[in-house]
């Protein structure tokens, strides 16, 4: 029975694991939408897997008593039943509004081989048999829900099965004799199978699938700093054409997770069904990531003279800074400088239709390097920059690229008199464009991981930018191992 449970669970896992399941909240940061087109494709692909696994299913033995011509009443047993061949011709997987999913198989058949034996007092006969089961129809309604932990749960709310025809042929000692009462055997075989099909499905969901769902992680590591929370916010929502799975979609610090001070926005998703799968990713996901990386100082930087290109006319020395700040060179002659940059607050992404942008506020403190590695602050700059964000998509994640604009610099504080900030902009622009932004782009190239099974590949994507969220539509294909 365990093997059959595994086979029947395959299709259900394909749907439920399109999103991996955490904490409850007001609005999801990520919505995974599966359309009827996507469900149809999953049903077809998983039916191929299910059909191959059915060969490993062990069917239950059955026995009974029958009146056999020439023998009278006798006891018969059918055992060692194995599925020799099968063909699952018709399948459907559809959203069931306000409930979950409806799965059906129709017009299918299986061929079963096994052994028989008959006892009549001291008479014992045995042999083998073939059974062809035709016109198999199965209809199952699945109720989808969520656990307080944020993991999904599933239950069979209804199940029915029907077999149109059963043909039995027996061979062996006096097998021809047993064929005389094949109608009785076929009728019993049909009743046994019809009663077992839904029990196998129910046991599959209760004993195999649901316990497995309880072992799924609700978070995933992104790197040494951050993880992502994919926990379910509520039970999946089904309409006539789509199944929506609402996920938290929060990026959190792996070192110390703390509550986020803002909520995810409400996302009004477009009514589109041309692709198999859609992902709606709100600014909440990206901005919680920004909080994490800002907290660990990922965007902070330090510039020393050895980082300046040898060909540059501007060095990080008080002598070279004579043009920027005359008094600095007099107070600290022939002394090296360091520039320490910090991002004032986590830069958030601004979403507007067709456009993504961000504004970063930085402070740069210049210090002279005194003997014994003592740093003496001499002036502080405020730096503002706007960047546009370009997004791309590959088969498993969304990646980004920053396209910065020219920075604006102002003097916040000086202990060495007048500082010509206009002349400093060239040096800072060079560093930001050649060092800081490439570092950020390398991180963005690692991408935002989408909740997917490893053997699913996405293709033919369409990416839209709406107010407060991205909307990615794509088709899927299974990668056969």
């Amino acid at each position: 029975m365990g093997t059959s449970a595994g086979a029947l669970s395959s299709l259900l896992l394909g749907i439920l694991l399109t999103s991996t399941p955490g904490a409850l909240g007001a609005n999801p940061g990520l919505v995974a939408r599966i359309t009827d087109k996507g469900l149809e494709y999953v049903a077809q692909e998983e039916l191929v897997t299910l059909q191959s696994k059915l060969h490993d299913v062990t069917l239950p033995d059955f026995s009974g008593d029958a009146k056999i011509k020439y023998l009278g009443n006798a006891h018969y047993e059918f055992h060692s039943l194995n599925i020799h061949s099968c063909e699952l011709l018709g399948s459907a997987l559809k959203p069931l509004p306000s409930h979950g999913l409806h799965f059906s198989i129709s017009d299918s058949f299986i061929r079963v081989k096994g052994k028989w034996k008959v006892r009549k007092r001291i008479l014992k006969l045995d042999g083998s048999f073939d059974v062809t089961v035709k016109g198999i129809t199965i209809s199952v309604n699945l109720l989808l829900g969520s656990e307080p932990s944020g993991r999904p749960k599933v239950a069979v709310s209804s199940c029915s099965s029907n077999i149109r025809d059963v043909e039995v042929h027996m061979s062996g000692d006096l097998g021809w004799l047993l064929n005389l009462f094949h109608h009785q055997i076929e009728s019993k075989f049909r009743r046994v199978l019809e009663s077992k099909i839904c029990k196998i499905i129910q046991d599959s969901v209760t004993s195999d699938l649901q316990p497995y769902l309880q072992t799924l992680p609700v978070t995933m590591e992104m790197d040494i700093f951050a993880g992502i929370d994919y926990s379910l916010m509520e039970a999946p929502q089904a309409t006539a054409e789509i199944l929506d799975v609402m996920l938290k979609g929060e990026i959190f610090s792996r070192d110390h997770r703390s509550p986020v001070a803002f909520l995810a926005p409400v996302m009004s998703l477009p009514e589109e069904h041309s692709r198999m799968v859609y992902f709606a990713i709100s600014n909440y996901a990206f901005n919680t990531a920004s909080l994490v990386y800002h907290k660990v100082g990922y965007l902070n930087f330090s510039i020393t003279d050895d980082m300046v290109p040898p060909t540059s006319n501007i060095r990080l020395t008080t002598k070279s800074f004579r043009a920027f700040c005359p008094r600095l060179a007099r107070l600290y002659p022939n002394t090296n400088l360091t520039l320490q940059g910090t991002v004032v607050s986590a830069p958030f992404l601004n979403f507007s239709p067709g456009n993504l942008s961000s504004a970063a506020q930085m402070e740069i403190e210049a210090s002279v390097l005194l003997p014994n590695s003592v740093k003496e602050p001499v002036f502080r700059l405020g730096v503002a920059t706007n960047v546009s964000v370009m997004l791309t998509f590959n088969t498993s994640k969304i990646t980004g690229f920053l396209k910065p604009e020219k920075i604006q610099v102002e003097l916040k504080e000086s202990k060495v008199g007048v500082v010509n900030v206009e002349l400093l902009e060239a040096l800072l622009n060079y560093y930001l464009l050649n060092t800081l932004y490439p570092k950020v782009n390398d991180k963005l190239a690692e991408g935002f991981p989408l909740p997917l099974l490893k053997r699913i590949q996405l293709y033919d994507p369409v990416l839209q930018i709406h107010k407060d969220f991205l909307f990615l539509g794509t088709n899927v294909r299974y990668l056969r191992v």
Side-chain angles (χ1 to χ4, degrees):
M1 189 71 71
T3 304
S4 63
L8 291 165
S9 295
S10 176
L11 173 63
L12 306 182
L13 284 170
I15 292 301
L16 287 172
L17 299 186
T18 300
S19 59
T20 311
L24 302 178
N27 299 311
L30 171 64
V31 177
R33 167 173 290 180
I34 312 168
T35 66
D36 51 359
K37 181 179 178 182
L39 292 173
E40 179 183 353
Y41 175 77
V42 171
Q44 293 172 354
E45 290 294 318
E46 288 295 344
L47 204 62
V48 174
T49 303
L50 179 59
Q51 182 169 298
S52 66
K53 290 185 177 181
L54 280 177
H55 293 281
D56 299 325
V57 172
T58 300
L59 296 175
D61 301 342
F62 71 94
S63 59
D65 296 299
K67 187 175 182 179
I68 306 174
K69 192 175 182 179
Y70 307 125
L71 290 180
N73 291 328
H75 181 77
Y76 64 86
E77 294 181 19
F78 289 81
H79 62 96
S80 303
L81 282 70
N82 292 297
I83 295 176
H84 182 260
S85 62
C86 64
E87 189 168 358
L88 305 179
L89 299 176
S91 68
L93 185 64
K94 298 181 180 298
L96 197 60
S98 304
H99 192 94
L101 293 169
H102 172 74
F103 171 60
S104 63
I105 294 176
S106 60
D107 195 25
S108 301
F109 80 89
I110 60 174
R111 184 183 177 193
V112 178
K113 290 188 174 185
K115 298 180 180 179
W116 63 266
K117 57 184 177 181
V118 170
R119 293 200 313 272
K120 172 67 176 179
R121 296 179 182 174
I122 63 172
L123 177 66
K124 294 182 180 180
L125 304 174
D126 59 52
S128 60
F129 69 88
D130 288 329
V131 178
T132 302
V133 184
K134 301 177 180 179
I136 302 172
T137 300
I138 306 171
S139 178
V140 183
N141 286 345
L142 298 172
L143 179 63
L144 305 182
S146 62
E147 299 282 2
S149 64
R151 293 178 173 88
K153 64 180 180 180
V154 61
V156 175
S157 60
S158 66
C159 178
S160 62
S161 64
N162 183 65
I163 296 173
R164 187 182 69 244
D165 188 31
V166 175
E167 296 179 357
V168 178
H169 177 73
M170 284 170 282
S171 60
D173 297 335
L174 299 181
W176 61 271
L177 190 61
L178 295 182
N179 280 318
L180 296 177
F181 78 110
H182 67 88
H183 291 299
Q184 297 179 55
I185 298 176
E186 289 168 355
S187 177
K188 180 65 179 289
F189 211 107
R190 179 188 290 108
R191 292 195 304 271
V192 168
L193 285 181
E194 286 180 342
S195 67
K196 292 294 184 182
I197 287 173
C198 282
K199 185 178 186 304
I200 290 173
I201 292 175
Q202 180 68 63
D203 290 345
S204 168
V205 172
T206 303
S207 303
D208 185 13
L209 178 57
Q210 182 57 34
Y212 174 76
L213 293 177
Q214 296 311 298
T215 69
L216 293 175
V218 297
T219 61
M220 184 180 76
E221 295 179 2
M222 294 179 64
D223 56 26
I224 61 173
F225 303 115
I228 184 167
D229 188 335
Y230 280 136
S231 59
L232 287 172
M233 303 289 286
E234 56 182 285
Q237 301 296 310
T239 67
E241 296 181 306
I242 60 173
L243 178 71
D244 279 348
V245 184
M246 283 66 68
L247 309 173
K248 192 168 185 64
E250 178 184 315
I251 311 296
F252 61 89
S253 170
R254 291 182 58 194
D255 180 53
H256 176 70
R257 186 169 184 176
S258 56
V260 180
F262 53 88
L263 298 176
V266 175
M267 293 185 285
S268 299
L269 305 189
E271 292 295 327
E272 295 190 14
H273 314 285
S274 61
R275 297 297 195 277
M276 297 179 183
V277 177
Y278 290 88
F279 295 98
I281 309 167
S282 79
N283 56 16
Y284 180 81
F286 296 98
N287 292 339
T288 52
S290 184
L291 287 175
V292 171
Y293 291 106
H294 175 261
K295 185 177 181 180
V296 298
Y298 187 81
L299 299 178
N300 296 343
F301 59 91
S302 180
I303 312 175
T304 56
D305 186 61
D306 59 352
M307 300 168 65
V308 179
T311 57
S312 175
N313 294 325
I314 303 174
R315 313 303 309 175
L316 276 181
T317 64
T318 55
K319 179 180 179 181
S320 183
F321 267 54
R322 188 187 305 273
F324 307 133
C325 182
R327 190 180 176 195
L328 177 63
R330 294 196 299 269
L331 292 175
Y332 304 96
N334 300 317
T335 305
N336 282 350
L337 291 164
T338 181
L339 301 179
Q340 185 68 44
T342 57
V343 178
V344 177
S345 59
F348 284 179
L349 274 181
N350 300 312
F351 287 60
S352 60
N355 183 59
L356 279 176
S357 62
S358 182
Q361 300 288 331
M362 294 178 281
E363 286 193 350
I364 298 178
E365 185 175 73
S367 300
V368 291
L369 296 176
L370 301 177
N372 300 321
S373 301
V374 176
K375 293 183 180 179
E376 179 70 30
V378 289
F379 62 83
R380 182 166 53 90
L381 305 174
V383 178
T385 181
N386 293 318
V387 297
S388 57
V389 183
M390 310 297 292
L391 295 179
T392 56
F393 169 76
N394 65 17
T395 57
S396 63
K397 59 188 178 182
I398 294 175
T399 60
F401 181 83
L402 297 183
K403 187 177 180 181
E405 299 177 8
K406 188 178 180 180
I407 64 172
Q408 296 177 326
V409 181
E410 65 171 328
L411 182 64
K412 292 283 189 178
E413 178 186 8
S414 176
K415 298 178 180 178
V416 289
V418 177
V419 177
N420 189 330
V421 295
E422 288 79 7
L423 293 176
L424 277 173
E425 282 187 2
L427 176 64
L428 294 176
N429 266 310
Y430 179 89
Y431 175 79
L432 294 176
L433 290 174
N434 291 279
T435 304
L436 181 61
Y437 285 124
K439 176 184 177 183
V440 176
N441 283 331
D442 286 344
K443 174 58 64 177
L444 294 175
E446 295 176 8
F448 181 91
L450 297 173
L452 297 170
L453 286 173
K454 291 182 178 179
R455 62 192 182 100
I456 287 181
Q457 183 182 54
L458 306 184
Y459 71 96
D460 193 21
V462 174
L463 183 62
Q464 303 173 8
I465 303 175
H466 295 263
K467 185 179 184 299
D468 296 331
F469 70 94
L470 303 177
F471 194 60
L472 170 66
T474 180
N475 290 321
V476 303
R477 65 167 61 96
Y478 275 48
L479 300 175
R480 296 289 177 188
V481 179

